Amino acid sequence: MFSKFRAAAKQAWKSSFSKNLLLTNIVSSGGLLVVGDVLQQQLEKSQDPSKSHDKERSVRMGLVGLSQGPPHHYWYLYLDKFLPGKSAAVVCKKILADQVFAAPFFAITFIYGASLLEGKTLGSCWTEFKTKFPTIYLFDWFIWPPTQAINFALVPSQYRVLYVNCVTVLWDVFLSYIKHKPDTDSESIKTAQAVIVDL
């Protein structure tokens, strides 16, 4: 019986990262963004025990994650198509492309997606994006180039989105913190930016 279960699990895993790869990437993007938000909310509750878990917020984050699954999926497919290979030069080009094109795209879709689900206007979304994007992008440059160097050099192509999503759990804790930080704390956001620059 155990051997049958193991064979079925192996087949399910193989199917998830072959013919069902797009679905796997979508589900993992949404699910792991929820995990990141739950962890961030636990941190917030540890600092303020009066807070309760905001389930609607976690659902919104999950929906945003699901929406980012397809772009992640196709981004890596096309990146491998137009920049094939794993040489140092190719990996550097992929990292640069990821930082210049993908990082701003996913940041703006994250802020807009989460804010629109909160019922905010497009104007409010843009104001929030202008306030929070510099901090997000600065942290992005510290975290993702070394992460993506491993991804592009060592990780098989079918596992790239899953690998990124696993690392993204920690990144999502940060995104959830920045996204849900009150606008009145904009001064502390500027302070965080200054600290990063000093580093």
Side-chain angles (χ1 to χ4, degrees), residues 68 101-113 129 133 136-137 140 171 175:
Q68 293 198 336
F101 299 109
F105 170 80
F106 286 112
I108 194 169
T109 54
F110 170 78
I111 293 293
Y112 266 75
F129 175 75
F133 176 72
I136 292 173
Y137 199 48
D140 196 291
W171 176 245
L175 285 182

Short mmCIF file of all heavy atoms in Angstrom, two decimals, residues 68 101-113 129 133 136-137 140 171 175:
data_model
loop_
_atom_site.label_atom_id
_atom_site.label_comp_id
_atom_site.label_asym_id
_atom_site.label_seq_id
_atom_site.Cartn_x
_atom_site.Cartn_y
_atom_site.Cartn_z
N GLN A 68 -0.28 36.94 -9.87
CA GLN A 68 1.11 37.08 -10.28
C GLN A 68 1.73 35.76 -10.73
O GLN A 68 2.84 35.74 -11.26
CB GLN A 68 1.93 37.69 -9.14
CG GLN A 68 1.53 39.14 -8.83
CD GLN A 68 2.58 39.87 -8.04
OE1 GLN A 68 3.39 39.29 -7.35
NE2 GLN A 68 2.56 41.20 -8.15
N PHE A 101 13.27 44.90 -15.50
CA PHE A 101 11.92 44.75 -16.06
C PHE A 101 10.94 44.06 -15.10
O PHE A 101 9.85 44.58 -14.84
CB PHE A 101 11.98 43.97 -17.38
CG PHE A 101 12.80 44.65 -18.43
CD1 PHE A 101 14.04 44.12 -18.81
CD2 PHE A 101 12.38 45.82 -19.04
CE1 PHE A 101 14.82 44.75 -19.78
CE2 PHE A 101 13.14 46.45 -20.01
CZ PHE A 101 14.37 45.91 -20.37
N ALA A 102 11.32 42.89 -14.59
CA ALA A 102 10.38 42.11 -13.78
C ALA A 102 10.12 42.74 -12.42
O ALA A 102 8.96 42.81 -11.97
CB ALA A 102 10.89 40.68 -13.61
N ALA A 103 11.16 43.19 -11.74
CA ALA A 103 11.00 43.72 -10.38
C ALA A 103 10.02 44.90 -10.32
O ALA A 103 9.09 44.90 -9.50
CB ALA A 103 12.35 44.10 -9.78
N PRO A 104 10.17 45.93 -11.17
CA PRO A 104 9.20 47.03 -11.13
C PRO A 104 7.79 46.57 -11.50
O PRO A 104 6.81 47.03 -10.91
CB PRO A 104 9.74 48.02 -12.17
CG PRO A 104 11.20 47.71 -12.25
CD PRO A 104 11.29 46.23 -12.08
N PHE A 105 7.69 45.65 -12.48
CA PHE A 105 6.37 45.16 -12.89
C PHE A 105 5.64 44.48 -11.73
O PHE A 105 4.47 44.76 -11.45
CB PHE A 105 6.50 44.18 -14.06
CG PHE A 105 5.22 43.47 -14.39
CD1 PHE A 105 4.23 44.08 -15.14
CD2 PHE A 105 4.99 42.18 -13.91
CE1 PHE A 105 3.04 43.43 -15.43
CE2 PHE A 105 3.79 41.51 -14.20
CZ PHE A 105 2.82 42.14 -14.95
N PHE A 106 6.34 43.58 -11.05
CA PHE A 106 5.70 42.85 -9.96
C PHE A 106 5.43 43.75 -8.75
O PHE A 106 4.47 43.53 -8.01
CB PHE A 106 6.53 41.63 -9.56
CG PHE A 106 6.45 40.52 -10.57
CD1 PHE A 106 7.56 40.16 -11.33
CD2 PHE A 106 5.26 39.84 -10.79
CE1 PHE A 106 7.48 39.15 -12.27
CE2 PHE A 106 5.17 38.82 -11.73
CZ PHE A 106 6.27 38.48 -12.47
N ALA A 107 6.25 44.78 -8.57
CA ALA A 107 6.00 45.72 -7.47
C ALA A 107 4.73 46.53 -7.72
O ALA A 107 3.88 46.67 -6.84
CB ALA A 107 7.21 46.64 -7.29
N ILE A 108 4.60 47.05 -8.95
CA ILE A 108 3.44 47.89 -9.23
C ILE A 108 2.14 47.07 -9.28
O ILE A 108 1.10 47.50 -8.80
CB ILE A 108 3.63 48.69 -10.54
CG1 ILE A 108 2.58 49.81 -10.63
CG2 ILE A 108 3.56 47.80 -11.78
CD1 ILE A 108 2.86 50.81 -11.75
N THR A 109 2.22 45.84 -9.80
CA THR A 109 1.01 45.01 -9.83
C THR A 109 0.64 44.55 -8.43
O THR A 109 -0.55 44.39 -8.11
CB THR A 109 1.19 43.78 -10.75
OG1 THR A 109 2.38 43.06 -10.36
CG2 THR A 109 1.31 44.19 -12.20
N PHE A 110 1.64 44.37 -7.56
CA PHE A 110 1.35 44.00 -6.18
C PHE A 110 0.63 45.13 -5.45
O PHE A 110 -0.42 44.93 -4.84
CB PHE A 110 2.65 43.64 -5.44
CG PHE A 110 2.46 43.48 -3.96
CD1 PHE A 110 1.90 42.32 -3.44
CD2 PHE A 110 2.81 44.50 -3.09
CE1 PHE A 110 1.70 42.18 -2.08
CE2 PHE A 110 2.63 44.36 -1.73
CZ PHE A 110 2.08 43.20 -1.21
N ILE A 111 1.20 46.34 -5.52
CA ILE A 111 0.60 47.48 -4.82
C ILE A 111 -0.78 47.79 -5.37
O ILE A 111 -1.75 47.96 -4.61
CB ILE A 111 1.50 48.73 -4.94
CG1 ILE A 111 2.81 48.53 -4.17
CG2 ILE A 111 0.76 49.97 -4.43
CD1 ILE A 111 2.65 48.45 -2.67
N TYR A 112 -0.90 47.84 -6.70
CA TYR A 112 -2.20 48.15 -7.30
C TYR A 112 -3.21 47.06 -7.01
O TYR A 112 -4.37 47.34 -6.68
CB TYR A 112 -2.05 48.35 -8.82
CG TYR A 112 -1.86 49.79 -9.22
CD1 TYR A 112 -0.64 50.43 -9.02
CD2 TYR A 112 -2.89 50.52 -9.78
CE1 TYR A 112 -0.46 51.75 -9.38
CE2 TYR A 112 -2.72 51.84 -10.15
CZ TYR A 112 -1.50 52.46 -9.95
OH TYR A 112 -1.33 53.78 -10.29
N GLY A 113 -2.80 45.79 -7.16
CA GLY A 113 -3.74 44.69 -6.94
C GLY A 113 -4.28 44.67 -5.53
O GLY A 113 -5.50 44.59 -5.31
N PHE A 129 1.89 53.80 -4.34
CA PHE A 129 3.01 53.22 -5.08
C PHE A 129 4.22 54.15 -5.04
O PHE A 129 5.35 53.70 -4.80
CB PHE A 129 2.61 52.94 -6.53
CG PHE A 129 3.74 52.45 -7.38
CD1 PHE A 129 4.20 51.15 -7.26
CD2 PHE A 129 4.35 53.29 -8.30
CE1 PHE A 129 5.26 50.68 -8.04
CE2 PHE A 129 5.41 52.84 -9.08
CZ PHE A 129 5.86 51.54 -8.94
N PHE A 133 7.26 52.31 -3.31
CA PHE A 133 8.10 51.63 -4.29
C PHE A 133 9.60 51.80 -4.04
O PHE A 133 10.36 50.83 -4.16
CB PHE A 133 7.76 52.08 -5.71
CG PHE A 133 8.66 51.47 -6.75
CD1 PHE A 133 8.56 50.12 -7.09
CD2 PHE A 133 9.63 52.24 -7.40
CE1 PHE A 133 9.39 49.55 -8.04
CE2 PHE A 133 10.47 51.68 -8.34
CZ PHE A 133 10.36 50.33 -8.66
N ILE A 136 10.68 49.25 -1.48
CA ILE A 136 10.56 47.89 -2.02
C ILE A 136 11.70 47.61 -3.01
O ILE A 136 12.35 46.57 -2.96
CB ILE A 136 9.19 47.70 -2.71
CG1 ILE A 136 8.06 47.73 -1.68
CG2 ILE A 136 9.15 46.40 -3.51
CD1 ILE A 136 6.66 47.72 -2.29
N TYR A 137 11.96 48.58 -3.88
CA TYR A 137 12.96 48.36 -4.93
C TYR A 137 14.38 48.31 -4.36
O TYR A 137 15.23 47.56 -4.84
CB TYR A 137 12.83 49.45 -5.99
CG TYR A 137 13.48 49.09 -7.32
CD1 TYR A 137 13.24 47.85 -7.92
CD2 TYR A 137 14.32 49.98 -7.98
CE1 TYR A 137 13.81 47.52 -9.14
CE2 TYR A 137 14.89 49.66 -9.20
CZ TYR A 137 14.63 48.43 -9.77
OH TYR A 137 15.21 48.10 -10.98
N ASP A 140 14.77 45.05 -2.87
CA ASP A 140 14.80 44.09 -3.98
C ASP A 140 16.22 43.87 -4.47
O ASP A 140 16.64 42.74 -4.74
CB ASP A 140 13.91 44.62 -5.11
CG ASP A 140 13.57 43.55 -6.13
OD1 ASP A 140 14.49 43.12 -6.86
OD2 ASP A 140 12.40 43.15 -6.20
N TRP A 171 10.33 37.34 1.58
CA TRP A 171 10.12 38.60 0.87
C TRP A 171 8.69 39.09 1.07
O TRP A 171 8.45 40.29 1.24
CB TRP A 171 10.43 38.39 -0.61
CG TRP A 171 10.17 39.57 -1.52
CD1 TRP A 171 9.26 39.63 -2.52
CD2 TRP A 171 10.85 40.84 -1.52
NE1 TRP A 171 9.33 40.86 -3.15
CE2 TRP A 171 10.29 41.61 -2.55
CE3 TRP A 171 11.87 41.38 -0.74
CZ2 TRP A 171 10.72 42.91 -2.83
CZ3 TRP A 171 12.29 42.68 -1.03
CH2 TRP A 171 11.72 43.42 -2.05
N LEU A 175 6.93 42.55 2.11
CA LEU A 175 5.94 43.23 1.28
C LEU A 175 4.65 43.49 2.05
O LEU A 175 4.06 44.57 1.95
CB LEU A 175 5.62 42.38 0.04
CG LEU A 175 6.66 42.35 -1.08
CD1 LEU A 175 6.14 41.50 -2.24
CD2 LEU A 175 7.02 43.75 -1.56
#
